[in-house]
Amino acid sequence: MEPWEWDEATWRGKVEKVRAGRSLKPKTWKNGARCAVALSFDADHETNELRDGGESIGRLSWGQYGTRVGVPRILETLKAADVPATFFVPAVAALLHPDEQKRVIAEGHEIGLHGWIHEVNTRVPPEKERELHLRAADTLEKITGVRAVGMRTPSWDFSAVTLEIERELGLVYDSSLMADDDPYELVENGEPTGMVELPVEWIRDDAVYFNMNRFTDLRPYTAPPAVLDIFKREFDRAYKEGGLFLLTMHPHVSGYRSRIFILEELIQHIKSHDDVWFGTHADIARFAKDNADV
């Protein structure tokens, strides 16, 4: 049946499966801050190639750059600025680089779920998706000693059963959807779930500006200063509105010598403003849930 042949129950059911519910934006953030800042890094590493069954030594080495150079450079930047962040890590990447995960936790950052091998959820049978997410949660806990409380789905790909699995895992938040700028409660089939959504957006993601694949037509490129300007403008508006600024970056994309300044100068710009709270995704989700302006 073609979409134009669907009856109302069909198209309405698809739309209502997972929706944005009540806003969880508080009047003020922790300690009276005007704006909350959530920096996140999707540490995909070699799984970008592995998830598609790829064997390109070149692309695997690109992933290795993320852990060998990108993450250390990012951690040094965060340490110098004394700000926390959240790293979303596929379980296979964590198994390949367990010492990296231990360092991230030891330096006061959060690690969140990011699938098993960076799989595309909507291409995985529902029961297999459940198995992979549960296995990933157990794997990250075994490596880090900390049970993850949040998930960012790989490639922000959210299936019809993803929320159900997240609820089974007892997660506090998801950070994969795009229905708002500020935190909101996820609603499933018309029922509030208590799950906090920390919304993402491609505008606030470095990959869309820099990624390329020479064997495909993927050739986007934006000059790094222009990307910094976009990120600054996103923060400035969030600050003006008293909301959340959430940024997604990738160690194998922005960890380079000519791009790390984006993170460095963005943090400097943010810290030049009064009343800003840098928090992990978990901290911000919990605060939003407990202090929503209802």
Side-chain angles (χ1 to χ4, degrees):
M1 184 178 290
E2 297 293 337
W4 51 266
E5 297 178 296
W6 292 341
D7 59 19
E8 182 173 347
T10 299
W11 54 255
R12 191 175 293 279
K14 293 179 183 295
V15 170
E16 296 296 334
K17 178 60 180 174
V18 177
R19 296 291 276 174
R22 67 187 178 109
S23 172
L24 298 178
K25 177 183 174 182
K27 287 185 177 180
T28 60
W29 296 93
K30 187 176 181 179
N31 299 324
R34 178 184 181 88
C35 180
V37 175
L39 301 179
S40 59
F41 302 90
D42 291 2
D44 305 328
H45 303 333
E46 294 90 345
T47 64
N48 277 317
E49 178 68 3
L50 295 175
R51 69 109 179 262
D52 295 322
E55 300 176 352
S56 167
I57 301 301
R59 290 184 66 81
L60 288 170
S61 72
W62 185 37
Q64 189 179 12
Y65 183 93
T67 184
R68 185 181 177 91
V69 181
V71 168
R73 191 168 276 158
I74 288 166
L75 287 174
E76 290 167 7
T77 299
L78 297 173
K79 184 176 182 179
D82 191 26
V83 296
T86 298
F87 289 72
F88 292 98
V89 187
V92 167
L95 287 166
L96 285 167
H97 311 289
D99 289 345
E100 173 186 299
Q101 318 318 316
K102 294 172 184 177
R103 178 183 174 185
V104 167
I105 293 294
E107 295 191 13
H109 307 295
E110 175 193 7
I111 287 182
L113 301 174
H114 200 43
W116 175 255
I117 197 168
H118 210 256
E119 63 277 0
V120 179
N121 285 340
T122 52
R123 298 178 187 170
V124 178
E127 190 54 39
K128 179 57 68 173
E129 181 186 347
R130 176 182 179 276
E131 177 192 333
L132 291 173
H133 285 313
L134 268 60
R135 194 196 320 168
D138 291 343
T139 298
L140 289 184
E141 182 178 18
K142 184 176 180 179
I143 291 172
T144 66
V146 180
R147 188 73 174 180
V149 299
M151 178 187 294
R152 172 167 293 157
T153 60
S155 301
W156 305 352
D157 188 58
F158 207 98
S159 83
V161 299
T162 301
L163 181 54
E164 177 183 327
I165 297 167
E166 291 179 321
R167 296 175 70 182
E168 181 180 351
L169 283 165
L171 300 184
V172 174
Y173 73 89
D174 174 80
S175 186
S176 317
L177 302 177
M178 311 182 194
D180 206 319
D181 296 307
D182 298 311
Y184 57 88
E185 182 177 14
L186 288 173
V187 172
E188 186 169 26
N189 295 321
E191 296 294 328
T193 66
M195 174 83 71
V196 178
E197 180 63 36
L198 300 180
V200 293
E201 224 304 316
W202 294 113
I203 294 170
R204 299 187 304 275
D205 185 309
D206 60 351
V208 299
Y209 302 109
F210 298 131
N211 262 356
M212 67 157 287
N213 185 334
R214 71 188 186 94
F215 299 112
T216 72
D217 293 330
L218 183 63
R219 292 289 193 281
Y221 188 84
T222 307
V227 176
L228 173 60
D229 183 68
I230 293 168
F231 292 166
K232 281 183 176 179
R233 290 175 185 273
E234 282 285 318
F235 165 75
D236 288 347
R237 190 70 181 205
Y239 185 82
K240 180 180 180 180
E241 296 177 353
L244 169 67
F245 172 73
L246 188 154
L247 181 70
T248 302
M249 302 184 87
H250 297 76
H252 68 285
V253 174
S254 288
Y256 290 90
R257 292 167 173 165
S258 61
R259 294 178 184 166
I260 193 66
F261 83 91
I262 297 173
L263 178 62
E264 295 168 341
E265 294 189 16
L266 179 63
I267 292 174
Q268 291 174 8
H269 176 73
I270 293 171
K271 294 186 82 170
S272 72
H273 293 69
D274 294 328
D275 302 326
V276 174
W277 171 43
F278 287 86
T280 66
H281 282 47
D283 289 340
I284 289 172
R286 289 189 175 109
F287 187 90
K289 187 173 182 178
D290 293 341
N291 297 275
D293 183 16
V294 294

